[in-house]
Amino acid sequence: AVKGTVLPSTLEDVTLEAIYEDGEKASGESCIPNSRKRISKVMLKPSDAKPLNDALEAVENADLIILGPGSLYTSLIPNLLVKDLTEAITKSKAKKIYIVNVMTQPGETDGYTASDHVKAVIEHSSPNVMEYVIINTGQIPDYLLSRYLSEGSTYVECDNDVIEEMGYTVVADSIVNPTDVAHHSPVKLAQTIMKLI
């Protein structure tokens, strides 16, 4: 339910590539999770893609920059691989928030804790792309957890202390909407963000 202007990070013809921990590679957003191997690194080809000027301007004028939630390696991080865009985010005076996913994503973040998500973001961009990390602490019903488990997805462990040791402020709150899926509640998440700003 986003309202406003949606801007791409770049208009260049780029391909997302991944290197897995075993050294194998894969290309293409939809192919990367298919191997179900642990991802070591993702990159854009070409690596020097230029950002959209309007996107840079939007970042420069922002009061608040929110990263996530979304597929870590195939949706969120690729935007931060556009180097000038990441540099603009780090220089911005806006409050910077990263929202950790509620559940792991098969083929992308298997076994990841909240701090693993944070580490992946900053390793692909800069430690200064976030100040606050929002993590869900709300309960998810067992029937829903077991369904996700059968699909290879688990609840993201909330290891606040590790993230705080990294220098970020953790905002742990019940922001899940466990109906037939375990997703963030737009209303609860908005309320948590509004408290921060």
Side-chain angles (χ1 to χ4, degrees), residues 1-2 69 99 174-179 183-194:
V2 172
I99 303 165
S174 177
I175 49 175
V176 73
N177 183 24
T179 51
H183 288 173
H184 291 95
S185 158
V187 173
K188 291 179 182 178
L189 184 54
Q191 289 170 345
T192 298
I193 292 168
M194 291 305 290

mmCIF file with all atom_site columns, all heavy atoms in Angstrom, residues 1-2 69 99 174-179 183-194:
data_model
loop_
_atom_site.group_PDB
_atom_site.id
_atom_site.type_symbol
_atom_site.label_atom_id
_atom_site.label_alt_id
_atom_site.label_comp_id
_atom_site.label_asym_id
_atom_site.label_entity_id
_atom_site.label_seq_id
_atom_site.pdbx_PDB_ins_code
_atom_site.Cartn_x
_atom_site.Cartn_y
_atom_site.Cartn_z
_atom_site.occupancy
_atom_site.B_iso_or_equiv
_atom_site.pdbx_formal_charge
_atom_site.auth_seq_id
_atom_site.auth_comp_id
_atom_site.auth_asym_id
_atom_site.auth_atom_id
_atom_site.pdbx_PDB_model_num
ATOM 1   N N   . ALA A 1 1   ? 0.823  -1.210  0.000  1.00 0.00 ? 1   ALA A N   1
ATOM 2   C CA  . ALA A 1 1   ? 0.000  0.000   0.000  1.00 0.00 ? 1   ALA A CA  1
ATOM 3   C C   . ALA A 1 1   ? 0.854  1.255   0.000  1.00 0.00 ? 1   ALA A C   1
ATOM 4   O O   . ALA A 1 1   ? 0.500  2.243   0.594  1.00 0.00 ? 1   ALA A O   1
ATOM 5   C CB  . ALA A 1 1   ? -0.934 0.001   1.205  1.00 0.00 ? 1   ALA A CB  1
ATOM 6   N N   . VAL A 1 2   ? 1.999  1.190   -0.678 1.00 0.00 ? 2   VAL A N   1
ATOM 7   C CA  . VAL A 1 2   ? 2.865  2.364   -0.763 1.00 0.00 ? 2   VAL A CA  1
ATOM 8   C C   . VAL A 1 2   ? 2.180  3.426   -1.612 1.00 0.00 ? 2   VAL A C   1
ATOM 9   O O   . VAL A 1 2   ? 1.646  3.147   -2.675 1.00 0.00 ? 2   VAL A O   1
ATOM 10  C CB  . VAL A 1 2   ? 4.233  1.996   -1.388 1.00 0.00 ? 2   VAL A CB  1
ATOM 11  C CG1 . VAL A 1 2   ? 5.050  3.242   -1.656 1.00 0.00 ? 2   VAL A CG1 1
ATOM 12  C CG2 . VAL A 1 2   ? 4.993  1.063   -0.469 1.00 0.00 ? 2   VAL A CG2 1
ATOM 13  N N   . PRO A 1 69  ? 11.130 -4.652  4.925  1.00 0.00 ? 69  PRO A N   1
ATOM 14  C CA  . PRO A 1 69  ? 11.485 -6.066  4.827  1.00 0.00 ? 69  PRO A CA  1
ATOM 15  C C   . PRO A 1 69  ? 11.421 -6.537  3.377  1.00 0.00 ? 69  PRO A C   1
ATOM 16  O O   . PRO A 1 69  ? 10.876 -5.846  2.532  1.00 0.00 ? 69  PRO A O   1
ATOM 17  C CB  . PRO A 1 69  ? 10.428 -6.757  5.687  1.00 0.00 ? 69  PRO A CB  1
ATOM 18  C CG  . PRO A 1 69  ? 9.231  -5.869  5.592  1.00 0.00 ? 69  PRO A CG  1
ATOM 19  C CD  . PRO A 1 69  ? 9.780  -4.469  5.474  1.00 0.00 ? 69  PRO A CD  1
ATOM 20  N N   . ILE A 1 99  ? 14.464 -3.163  8.713  1.00 0.00 ? 99  ILE A N   1
ATOM 21  C CA  . ILE A 1 99  ? 13.425 -4.043  9.239  1.00 0.00 ? 99  ILE A CA  1
ATOM 22  C C   . ILE A 1 99  ? 13.767 -5.484  8.869  1.00 0.00 ? 99  ILE A C   1
ATOM 23  O O   . ILE A 1 99  ? 13.796 -5.845  7.690  1.00 0.00 ? 99  ILE A O   1
ATOM 24  C CB  . ILE A 1 99  ? 12.036 -3.660  8.682  1.00 0.00 ? 99  ILE A CB  1
ATOM 25  C CG1 . ILE A 1 99  ? 11.710 -2.201  9.012  1.00 0.00 ? 99  ILE A CG1 1
ATOM 26  C CG2 . ILE A 1 99  ? 10.968 -4.599  9.244  1.00 0.00 ? 99  ILE A CG2 1
ATOM 27  C CD1 . ILE A 1 99  ? 10.552 -1.633  8.222  1.00 0.00 ? 99  ILE A CD1 1
ATOM 28  N N   . SER A 1 174 ? 6.293  -6.496  19.022 1.00 0.00 ? 174 SER A N   1
ATOM 29  C CA  . SER A 1 174 ? 5.376  -7.444  18.390 1.00 0.00 ? 174 SER A CA  1
ATOM 30  C C   . SER A 1 174 ? 4.752  -6.760  17.176 1.00 0.00 ? 174 SER A C   1
ATOM 31  O O   . SER A 1 174 ? 3.842  -5.942  17.309 1.00 0.00 ? 174 SER A O   1
ATOM 32  C CB  . SER A 1 174 ? 4.282  -7.869  19.377 1.00 0.00 ? 174 SER A CB  1
ATOM 33  O OG  . SER A 1 174 ? 3.372  -8.727  18.722 1.00 0.00 ? 174 SER A OG  1
ATOM 34  N N   . ILE A 1 175 ? 5.285  -7.077  16.009 1.00 0.00 ? 175 ILE A N   1
ATOM 35  C CA  . ILE A 1 175 ? 4.829  -6.397  14.786 1.00 0.00 ? 175 ILE A CA  1
ATOM 36  C C   . ILE A 1 175 ? 4.382  -7.400  13.717 1.00 0.00 ? 175 ILE A C   1
ATOM 37  O O   . ILE A 1 175 ? 4.273  -7.055  12.555 1.00 0.00 ? 175 ILE A O   1
ATOM 38  C CB  . ILE A 1 175 ? 5.936  -5.479  14.213 1.00 0.00 ? 175 ILE A CB  1
ATOM 39  C CG1 . ILE A 1 175 ? 7.267  -6.228  14.118 1.00 0.00 ? 175 ILE A CG1 1
ATOM 40  C CG2 . ILE A 1 175 ? 6.079  -4.212  15.044 1.00 0.00 ? 175 ILE A CG2 1
ATOM 41  C CD1 . ILE A 1 175 ? 8.385  -5.452  13.460 1.00 0.00 ? 175 ILE A CD1 1
ATOM 42  N N   . VAL A 1 176 ? 4.121  -8.628  14.163 1.00 0.00 ? 176 VAL A N   1
ATOM 43  C CA  . VAL A 1 176 ? 3.715  -9.660  13.219 1.00 0.00 ? 176 VAL A CA  1
ATOM 44  C C   . VAL A 1 176 ? 2.195  -9.723  13.116 1.00 0.00 ? 176 VAL A C   1
ATOM 45  O O   . VAL A 1 176 ? 1.480  -9.368  14.053 1.00 0.00 ? 176 VAL A O   1
ATOM 46  C CB  . VAL A 1 176 ? 4.290  -11.041 13.632 1.00 0.00 ? 176 VAL A CB  1
ATOM 47  C CG1 . VAL A 1 176 ? 3.576  -11.597 14.847 1.00 0.00 ? 176 VAL A CG1 1
ATOM 48  C CG2 . VAL A 1 176 ? 4.254  -12.030 12.480 1.00 0.00 ? 176 VAL A CG2 1
ATOM 49  N N   . ASN A 1 177 ? 1.726  -10.177 11.976 1.00 0.00 ? 177 ASN A N   1
ATOM 50  C CA  . ASN A 1 177 ? 0.300  -10.343 11.729 1.00 0.00 ? 177 ASN A CA  1
ATOM 51  C C   . ASN A 1 177 ? 0.066  -11.804 11.359 1.00 0.00 ? 177 ASN A C   1
ATOM 52  O O   . ASN A 1 177 ? 0.000  -12.143 10.181 1.00 0.00 ? 177 ASN A O   1
ATOM 53  C CB  . ASN A 1 177 ? -0.145 -9.408  10.599 1.00 0.00 ? 177 ASN A CB  1
ATOM 54  C CG  . ASN A 1 177 ? -1.630 -9.483  10.353 1.00 0.00 ? 177 ASN A CG  1
ATOM 55  O OD1 . ASN A 1 177 ? -2.398 -9.854  11.232 1.00 0.00 ? 177 ASN A OD1 1
ATOM 56  N ND2 . ASN A 1 177 ? -2.049 -9.147  9.141  1.00 0.00 ? 177 ASN A ND2 1
ATOM 57  N N   . PRO A 1 178 ? -0.001 -12.700 12.366 1.00 0.00 ? 178 PRO A N   1
ATOM 58  C CA  . PRO A 1 178 ? -0.079 -14.130 12.057 1.00 0.00 ? 178 PRO A CA  1
ATOM 59  C C   . PRO A 1 178 ? -1.498 -14.581 11.719 1.00 0.00 ? 178 PRO A C   1
ATOM 60  O O   . PRO A 1 178 ? -2.238 -15.023 12.568 1.00 0.00 ? 178 PRO A O   1
ATOM 61  C CB  . PRO A 1 178 ? 0.416  -14.787 13.345 1.00 0.00 ? 178 PRO A CB  1
ATOM 62  C CG  . PRO A 1 178 ? 0.009  -13.838 14.419 1.00 0.00 ? 178 PRO A CG  1
ATOM 63  C CD  . PRO A 1 178 ? 0.008  -12.459 13.803 1.00 0.00 ? 178 PRO A CD  1
ATOM 64  N N   . THR A 1 179 ? -1.856 -14.431 10.474 1.00 0.00 ? 179 THR A N   1
ATOM 65  C CA  . THR A 1 179 ? -3.160 -14.930 10.039 1.00 0.00 ? 179 THR A CA  1
ATOM 66  C C   . THR A 1 179 ? -2.898 -16.254 9.320  1.00 0.00 ? 179 THR A C   1
ATOM 67  O O   . THR A 1 179 ? -2.606 -17.240 9.950  1.00 0.00 ? 179 THR A O   1
ATOM 68  C CB  . THR A 1 179 ? -3.849 -13.898 9.130  1.00 0.00 ? 179 THR A CB  1
ATOM 69  O OG1 . THR A 1 179 ? -2.930 -13.504 8.106  1.00 0.00 ? 179 THR A OG1 1
ATOM 70  C CG2 . THR A 1 179 ? -4.260 -12.667 9.927  1.00 0.00 ? 179 THR A CG2 1
ATOM 71  N N   . HIS A 1 183 ? 3.632  -12.589 8.340  1.00 0.00 ? 183 HIS A N   1
ATOM 72  C CA  . HIS A 1 183 ? 4.192  -11.355 7.786  1.00 0.00 ? 183 HIS A CA  1
ATOM 73  C C   . HIS A 1 183 ? 4.065  -10.229 8.796  1.00 0.00 ? 183 HIS A C   1
ATOM 74  O O   . HIS A 1 183 ? 3.320  -10.327 9.773  1.00 0.00 ? 183 HIS A O   1
ATOM 75  C CB  . HIS A 1 183 ? 3.456  -10.953 6.503  1.00 0.00 ? 183 HIS A CB  1
ATOM 76  C CG  . HIS A 1 183 ? 3.773  -11.833 5.337  1.00 0.00 ? 183 HIS A CG  1
ATOM 77  N ND1 . HIS A 1 183 ? 3.121  -11.733 4.138  1.00 0.00 ? 183 HIS A ND1 1
ATOM 78  C CD2 . HIS A 1 183 ? 4.684  -12.829 5.165  1.00 0.00 ? 183 HIS A CD2 1
ATOM 79  C CE1 . HIS A 1 183 ? 3.600  -12.627 3.290  1.00 0.00 ? 183 HIS A CE1 1
ATOM 80  N NE2 . HIS A 1 183 ? 4.545  -13.293 3.898  1.00 0.00 ? 183 HIS A NE2 1
ATOM 81  N N   . HIS A 1 184 ? 4.765  -9.128  8.519  1.00 0.00 ? 184 HIS A N   1
ATOM 82  C CA  . HIS A 1 184 ? 4.605  -7.948  9.353  1.00 0.00 ? 184 HIS A CA  1
ATOM 83  C C   . HIS A 1 184 ? 3.184  -7.403  9.219  1.00 0.00 ? 184 HIS A C   1
ATOM 84  O O   . HIS A 1 184 ? 2.613  -7.413  8.132  1.00 0.00 ? 184 HIS A O   1
ATOM 85  C CB  . HIS A 1 184 ? 5.578  -6.848  8.935  1.00 0.00 ? 184 HIS A CB  1
ATOM 86  C CG  . HIS A 1 184 ? 7.008  -7.175  9.233  1.00 0.00 ? 184 HIS A CG  1
ATOM 87  N ND1 . HIS A 1 184 ? 7.849  -7.740  8.309  1.00 0.00 ? 184 HIS A ND1 1
ATOM 88  C CD2 . HIS A 1 184 ? 7.730  -7.023  10.365 1.00 0.00 ? 184 HIS A CD2 1
ATOM 89  C CE1 . HIS A 1 184 ? 9.045  -7.909  8.861  1.00 0.00 ? 184 HIS A CE1 1
ATOM 90  N NE2 . HIS A 1 184 ? 8.995  -7.493  10.100 1.00 0.00 ? 184 HIS A NE2 1
ATOM 91  N N   . SER A 1 185 ? 2.653  -6.915  10.318 1.00 0.00 ? 185 SER A N   1
ATOM 92  C CA  . SER A 1 185 ? 1.388  -6.193  10.281 1.00 0.00 ? 185 SER A CA  1
ATOM 93  C C   . SER A 1 185 ? 1.699  -4.772  9.835  1.00 0.00 ? 185 SER A C   1
ATOM 94  O O   . SER A 1 185 ? 2.467  -4.078  10.506 1.00 0.00 ? 185 SER A O   1
ATOM 95  C CB  . SER A 1 185 ? 0.760  -6.168  11.678 1.00 0.00 ? 185 SER A CB  1
ATOM 96  O OG  . SER A 1 185 ? -0.161 -5.102  11.781 1.00 0.00 ? 185 SER A OG  1
ATOM 97  N N   . PRO A 1 186 ? 1.134  -4.305  8.726  1.00 0.00 ? 186 PRO A N   1
ATOM 98  C CA  . PRO A 1 186 ? 1.416  -2.944  8.276  1.00 0.00 ? 186 PRO A CA  1
ATOM 99  C C   . PRO A 1 186 ? 1.096  -1.894  9.340  1.00 0.00 ? 186 PRO A C   1
ATOM 100 O O   . PRO A 1 186 ? 1.843  -0.937  9.524  1.00 0.00 ? 186 PRO A O   1
ATOM 101 C CB  . PRO A 1 186 ? 0.519  -2.771  7.051  1.00 0.00 ? 186 PRO A CB  1
ATOM 102 C CG  . PRO A 1 186 ? 0.273  -4.156  6.561  1.00 0.00 ? 186 PRO A CG  1
ATOM 103 C CD  . PRO A 1 186 ? 0.253  -5.019  7.790  1.00 0.00 ? 186 PRO A CD  1
ATOM 104 N N   . VAL A 1 187 ? 0.003  -2.105  10.069 1.00 0.00 ? 187 VAL A N   1
ATOM 105 C CA  . VAL A 1 187 ? -0.400 -1.130  11.089 1.00 0.00 ? 187 VAL A CA  1
ATOM 106 C C   . VAL A 1 187 ? 0.581  -1.127  12.256 1.00 0.00 ? 187 VAL A C   1
ATOM 107 O O   . VAL A 1 187 ? 1.069  -0.074  12.681 1.00 0.00 ? 187 VAL A O   1
ATOM 108 C CB  . VAL A 1 187 ? -1.839 -1.419  11.586 1.00 0.00 ? 187 VAL A CB  1
ATOM 109 C CG1 . VAL A 1 187 ? -2.187 -0.516  12.759 1.00 0.00 ? 187 VAL A CG1 1
ATOM 110 C CG2 . VAL A 1 187 ? -2.840 -1.238  10.456 1.00 0.00 ? 187 VAL A CG2 1
ATOM 111 N N   . LYS A 1 188 ? 0.899  -2.313  12.787 1.00 0.00 ? 188 LYS A N   1
ATOM 112 C CA  . LYS A 1 188 ? 1.832  -2.396  13.917 1.00 0.00 ? 188 LYS A CA  1
ATOM 113 C C   . LYS A 1 188 ? 3.214  -1.898  13.540 1.00 0.00 ? 188 LYS A C   1
ATOM 114 O O   . LYS A 1 188 ? 3.876  -1.204  14.316 1.00 0.00 ? 188 LYS A O   1
ATOM 115 C CB  . LYS A 1 188 ? 1.921  -3.846  14.423 1.00 0.00 ? 188 LYS A CB  1
ATOM 116 C CG  . LYS A 1 188 ? 0.681  -4.356  15.107 1.00 0.00 ? 188 LYS A CG  1
ATOM 117 C CD  . LYS A 1 188 ? 0.879  -5.812  15.529 1.00 0.00 ? 188 LYS A CD  1
ATOM 118 C CE  . LYS A 1 188 ? -0.366 -6.393  16.182 1.00 0.00 ? 188 LYS A CE  1
ATOM 119 N NZ  . LYS A 1 188 ? -0.166 -7.815  16.529 1.00 0.00 ? 188 LYS A NZ  1
ATOM 120 N N   . LEU A 1 189 ? 3.665  -2.257  12.341 1.00 0.00 ? 189 LEU A N   1
ATOM 121 C CA  . LEU A 1 189 ? 4.982  -1.826  11.893 1.00 0.00 ? 189 LEU A CA  1
ATOM 122 C C   . LEU A 1 189 ? 5.020  -0.307  11.735 1.00 0.00 ? 189 LEU A C   1
ATOM 123 O O   . LEU A 1 189 ? 5.982  0.345   12.165 1.00 0.00 ? 189 LEU A O   1
ATOM 124 C CB  . LEU A 1 189 ? 5.338  -2.509  10.568 1.00 0.00 ? 189 LEU A CB  1
ATOM 125 C CG  . LEU A 1 189 ? 6.724  -2.239  10.001 1.00 0.00 ? 189 LEU A CG  1
ATOM 126 C CD1 . LEU A 1 189 ? 7.823  -2.535  11.011 1.00 0.00 ? 189 LEU A CD1 1
ATOM 127 C CD2 . LEU A 1 189 ? 6.935  -3.047  8.721  1.00 0.00 ? 189 LEU A CD2 1
ATOM 128 N N   . ALA A 1 190 ? 3.984  0.260   11.156 1.00 0.00 ? 190 ALA A N   1
ATOM 129 C CA  . ALA A 1 190 ? 3.910  1.721   11.007 1.00 0.00 ? 190 ALA A CA  1
ATOM 130 C C   . ALA A 1 190 ? 3.938  2.408   12.367 1.00 0.00 ? 190 ALA A C   1
ATOM 131 O O   . ALA A 1 190 ? 4.622  3.426   12.554 1.00 0.00 ? 190 ALA A O   1
ATOM 132 C CB  . ALA A 1 190 ? 2.650  2.105   10.234 1.00 0.00 ? 190 ALA A CB  1
ATOM 133 N N   . GLN A 1 191 ? 3.224  1.858   13.322 1.00 0.00 ? 191 GLN A N   1
ATOM 134 C CA  . GLN A 1 191 ? 3.207  2.454   14.675 1.00 0.00 ? 191 GLN A CA  1
ATOM 135 C C   . GLN A 1 191 ? 4.589  2.408   15.307 1.00 0.00 ? 191 GLN A C   1
ATOM 136 O O   . GLN A 1 191 ? 5.023  3.377   15.946 1.00 0.00 ? 191 GLN A O   1
ATOM 137 C CB  . GLN A 1 191 ? 2.195  1.721   15.563 1.00 0.00 ? 191 GLN A CB  1
ATOM 138 C CG  . GLN A 1 191 ? 0.749  2.006   15.193 1.00 0.00 ? 191 GLN A CG  1
ATOM 139 C CD  . GLN A 1 191 ? -0.252 1.094   15.898 1.00 0.00 ? 191 GLN A CD  1
ATOM 140 O OE1 . GLN A 1 191 ? 0.125  0.051   16.461 1.00 0.00 ? 191 GLN A OE1 1
ATOM 141 N NE2 . GLN A 1 191 ? -1.520 1.474   15.871 1.00 0.00 ? 191 GLN A NE2 1
ATOM 142 N N   . THR A 1 192 ? 5.304  1.298   15.129 1.00 0.00 ? 192 THR A N   1
ATOM 143 C CA  . THR A 1 192 ? 6.657  1.175   15.675 1.00 0.00 ? 192 THR A CA  1
ATOM 144 C C   . THR A 1 192 ? 7.591  2.179   15.030 1.00 0.00 ? 192 THR A C   1
ATOM 145 O O   . THR A 1 192 ? 8.396  2.828   15.706 1.00 0.00 ? 192 THR A O   1
ATOM 146 C CB  . THR A 1 192 ? 7.180  -0.267  15.464 1.00 0.00 ? 192 THR A CB  1
ATOM 147 O OG1 . THR A 1 192 ? 6.320  -1.169  16.172 1.00 0.00 ? 192 THR A OG1 1
ATOM 148 C CG2 . THR A 1 192 ? 8.598  -0.426  15.969 1.00 0.00 ? 192 THR A CG2 1
ATOM 149 N N   . ILE A 1 193 ? 7.477  2.339   13.711 1.00 0.00 ? 193 ILE A N   1
ATOM 150 C CA  . ILE A 1 193 ? 8.319  3.316   13.011 1.00 0.00 ? 193 ILE A CA  1
ATOM 151 C C   . ILE A 1 193 ? 7.986  4.722   13.448 1.00 0.00 ? 193 ILE A C   1
ATOM 152 O O   . ILE A 1 193 ? 8.885  5.549   13.690 1.00 0.00 ? 193 ILE A O   1
ATOM 153 C CB  . ILE A 1 193 ? 8.155  3.159   11.479 1.00 0.00 ? 193 ILE A CB  1
ATOM 154 C CG1 . ILE A 1 193 ? 8.760  1.820   11.019 1.00 0.00 ? 193 ILE A CG1 1
ATOM 155 C CG2 . ILE A 1 193 ? 8.807  4.323   10.740 1.00 0.00 ? 193 ILE A CG2 1
ATOM 156 C CD1 . ILE A 1 193 ? 8.408  1.432   9.595  1.00 0.00 ? 193 ILE A CD1 1
ATOM 157 N N   . MET A 1 194 ? 6.711  5.039   13.592 1.00 0.00 ? 194 MET A N   1
ATOM 158 C CA  . MET A 1 194 ? 6.294  6.390   14.001 1.00 0.00 ? 194 MET A CA  1
ATOM 159 C C   . MET A 1 194 ? 6.824  6.737   15.397 1.00 0.00 ? 194 MET A C   1
ATOM 160 O O   . MET A 1 194 ? 7.170  7.881   15.660 1.00 0.00 ? 194 MET A O   1
ATOM 161 C CB  . MET A 1 194 ? 4.777  6.532   13.945 1.00 0.00 ? 194 MET A CB  1
ATOM 162 C CG  . MET A 1 194 ? 4.212  6.517   12.532 1.00 0.00 ? 194 MET A CG  1
ATOM 163 S SD  . MET A 1 194 ? 4.931  7.748   11.431 1.00 0.00 ? 194 MET A SD  1
ATOM 164 C CE  . MET A 1 194 ? 4.254  9.257   12.152 1.00 0.00 ? 194 MET A CE  1
#
